[in-house]
Amino acid sequence: MTERRKRESAPLADEEVALAPERRARPARDETAAPETEPAGGTSAPVLTADQQHHLQAYALVNPRHALNEQCFAQVSTFREISITFQNLRANSKAFLALGDGQYAIWSEGGGDSKMSGVRFSTSAPALYLRSFLLNAREMILETFADCDQLSVSLYVRTEQVQVRGRVDLPPGASVTLQSRSDRTSLIGLSSFAVALE
Amino acid sequence: MTSELIPVVLVFDQVASNSNINFTFTTAGVYWSLGAKSGDSVGFSVTPRPVDGQPSARLQSIEFGESMLAMRTASDAAGFSSFTITLFLRVEPWVQMLQGYCTLNNEASVMAYFGSQRPMQWRNGRISAALRRPDASSRGVLVSVQGALPGDRISLELSTMRGEGLDATWCLGPEQAEAGGIRLVSAGGALPLSFLCYGTRTLQFEIDASASASATMDFVLQAYLCWRPAHLAYVYLKADCDSNVSVFAQIDSRQPQLVSQTYTVFTL
């Protein structure tokens, strides 16, 4: 696979990793994307000018996280439970929680095995007073329209790391507690966190 | 070959309060998934539809795992609820379709959009869908124009970073059968346009100058773009309109963003 080629040209290697999983259906295009790593005379792909290489690298450098997410999704099959409880989110506020940049970990629904547990958003209040909420591979964003005393999110972290780091950004007065099987941490305001996953 | 992740949008309508809703698949090889994209990816999101312009609490809990998607609507929500859920579907390489069942009240319906396909309509009982690999060469762009007044002209320009061989154009979408195609929908019932030009680099709209200013002029266009070379990661959109108009664009399963009067970056 293209990921294992030419590690010394680091930015372009990241880009190859980013390309290969997403463009599986078009292997021929991947070849022309990085012709400088082709053996000389091996293909008829055009060689990129310095200007074109600069453009490609600009795109690749800007989003190294993309490759990390795709690799983690494809290669890691360990899932750690974690539950996140937001408290005292006032009306019309936004809470933000994200995994750290360099972490080889993504949020997950827990993989296979027909589990009854996965990603769960719930509340002890009569309803989730959320204008919207969003959870992607690394970030969680909540927006309330009424006071939310308590909002629970339970999900999995897809990682082989023994701990995971990240950051939160909460409105004044709100707090969040992250609880894994072995560890618990509570945060307020704009803070970073590290929680052991066991 | 490995599994493909297909973005799914489920638009719920007329869901009763204080009830449990469950989607279960009975065929193999299809699983709900959080997906593998971060940043501006829309991932798993739930947006209740506002009632009379006010946000409303519709759900008490929602959960999904690989083989189930379940939610409970709030007991204090009056009448029916409407909301939109986005999610991903992880599909094993050999799988062409899914079957299953859902528990909904009889009045409710779910429009299920898989990738760029035309939506399935699911009601209480058996559900199914024919699945296609997402098209790698085009992306759907949902363009939403709000706040326009009669006589306004709006244009939306698509471009890429300057460079040889880098190009993006508006197109007609995937060439698959049952692709969703271009759709123009008015928020107010009647389309307020007197002119629409769907060009390769620019979309142009002109609002009917004789339309009543008190009627809503908001509309939504489902457009598509395609690009060269295959690994292009970002495009630029630029809106050219009066300051009372807001143009929002959403590419595929990314989060929507307001398009400014200059180059606004959108991830492909």
Side-chain angles (χ1 to χ4, degrees):
Chain A
M1 284 296 289
T2 46
E3 294 101 295
R4 306 207 215 297
R5 263 194 284 164
K6 293 282 176 158
R7 292 253 173 231
E8 61 265 27
S9 60
L12 214 49
D14 277 349
E15 195 206 14
E16 287 176 318
V17 171
L19 293 179
E22 201 173 10
R23 309 282 184 217
R24 261 175 236 116
R26 314 177 70 129
R29 292 283 182 103
D30 283 348
E31 301 290 296
T32 48
E36 64 177 21
T37 60
E38 293 290 314
T43 71
S44 58
V47 175
L48 295 177
T49 63
D51 220 16
Q52 289 172 326
Q53 282 179 38
H54 174 74
H55 281 296
L56 285 184
Q57 287 180 13
Y59 282 119
L61 284 169
V62 168
N63 201 2
R65 229 183 280 168
H66 175 75
L68 208 58
N69 293 342
E70 298 261 338
Q71 265 184 314
C72 194
F73 186 80
Q75 291 167 8
V76 175
S77 49
T78 317
F79 301 90
R80 310 278 192 208
E81 300 135 39
I82 191 164
S83 82
I84 300 170
T85 309
F86 293 89
Q87 278 128 358
N88 286 329
L89 287 171
R90 61 179 167 78
N92 296 313
S93 62
K94 247 184 154 125
F96 180 82
L97 190 153
L99 292 175
D101 269 0
Q103 299 287 289
Y104 195 54
I106 55 174
W107 297 124
S108 172
E109 75 292 323
D113 304 339
S114 301
K115 292 203 276 272
M116 278 299 280
S117 58
V119 171
R120 183 179 158 88
F121 280 76
S122 63
T123 179
S124 54
L128 292 164
Y129 298 113
L130 296 173
R131 199 184 298 265
S132 70
F133 64 83
L134 185 153
L135 169 67
N136 62 32
R138 299 186 96 92
E139 288 114 17
M140 189 184 305
I141 305 173
L142 311 170
E143 194 179 347
T144 63
F145 67 88
D147 288 340
C148 283
D149 281 341
Q150 183 251 20
L151 175 68
S152 297
V153 185
S154 64
L155 71 169
Y156 290 82
V157 186
R158 185 179 205 136
T159 185
E160 273 153 7
Q161 296 177 179
V162 293
Q163 70 157 18
V164 77
R165 311 172 66 92
R167 56 145 64 176
V168 301
D169 186 3
L170 297 169
S175 66
V176 67
T177 303
L178 291 99
Q179 172 133 20
S180 69
R181 279 173 69 169
S182 60
D183 195 14
R184 183 193 313 128
T185 176
S186 293
L187 307 138
I188 58 170
L190 178 62
S191 312
S192 70
F193 65 84
V195 61
L197 300 167
E198 166 206 282
Chain B
M1 265 185 96
T2 52
S3 314
E4 288 270 3
L5 286 170
I6 302 179
V8 180
V9 180
L10 300 171
V11 181
F12 289 76
D13 206 21
Q14 305 258 73
V15 180
S17 57
N18 202 18
S19 40
N20 60 315
I21 294 138
N22 182 12
F23 292 83
T24 309
F25 296 141
T26 53
T27 49
V30 183
Y31 311 102
W32 297 112
S33 172
L34 190 54
K37 294 204 197 305
S38 64
D40 60 351
S41 168
V42 81
F44 169 55
S45 77
V46 178
T47 312
R49 217 167 301 159
V51 173
D52 297 328
Q54 296 301 314
S56 60
R58 295 291 141 191
L59 293 170
Q60 202 210 6
S61 74
I62 178 164
E63 62 184 317
F64 75 94
E66 280 229 331
S67 49
M68 57 101 185
L69 169 63
M71 59 206 80
R72 271 208 65 193
T73 45
S75 51
D76 66 350
F80 291 125
S81 315
S82 301
F83 46 90
T84 303
I85 295 178
T86 67
L87 194 45
F88 283 86
L89 206 61
R90 183 171 70 83
V91 179
E92 299 283 346
W94 66 84
V95 171
Q96 310 261 342
M97 55 85 173
L98 68 86
Q99 284 181 309
Y101 57 86
C102 70
T103 58
L104 278 173
N105 50 298
N106 286 332
E107 301 88 350
S109 75
V110 181
M111 296 301 274
Y113 294 80
F114 294 95
S116 296
Q117 290 171 232
R118 296 178 67 185
M120 290 297 304
Q121 187 173 30
W122 288 348
R123 310 284 297 242
N124 183 24
R126 310 262 16 134
I127 59 174
S128 69
L131 299 171
R132 290 189 170 273
R133 297 288 165 267
D135 188 29
S137 60
S138 69
R139 288 272 186 274
V141 183
L142 205 60
V143 178
S144 165
V145 177
Q146 295 168 16
L149 295 171
D152 275 352
R153 276 211 189 117
I154 300 124
S155 79
L156 189 61
E157 187 190 312
L158 171 65
S159 58
T160 61
M161 198 169 166
R162 240 178 351 172
E164 233 180 85
L166 300 178
D167 193 19
T169 54
W170 297 110
C171 66
L172 298 178
E175 289 168 3
Q176 308 153 348
E178 293 308 305
I182 295 172
R183 292 190 295 277
L184 183 56
V185 180
S186 156
L191 278 176
L193 299 177
S194 64
F195 176 81
L196 163 67
C197 173
Y198 193 97
T200 46
R201 305 233 190 275
T202 316
L203 303 179
Q204 288 172 317
F205 311 92
E206 186 172 327
I207 309 292
D208 189 4
S210 60
S212 153
S214 58
T216 177
M217 307 281 169
D218 299 348
F219 61 91
V220 173
L221 171 70
Q222 171 72 61
Y224 296 86
L225 59 84
C226 52
W227 65 92
R228 280 188 292 119
H231 54 264
L232 192 63
Y234 304 93
V235 291
Y236 300 137
L237 286 176
K238 180 166 90 161
D240 190 4
C241 55
D242 288 324
S243 52
N244 53 288
V245 182
S246 303
V247 181
F248 288 87
Q250 178 174 11
I251 296 191
D252 200 41
S253 61
R254 302 286 179 182
Q255 295 165 33
Q257 193 189 164
L258 177 71
V259 183
S260 299
Q261 309 263 355
T262 181
Y263 295 123
T264 314
V265 181
F266 284 84
T267 316
L268 286 172

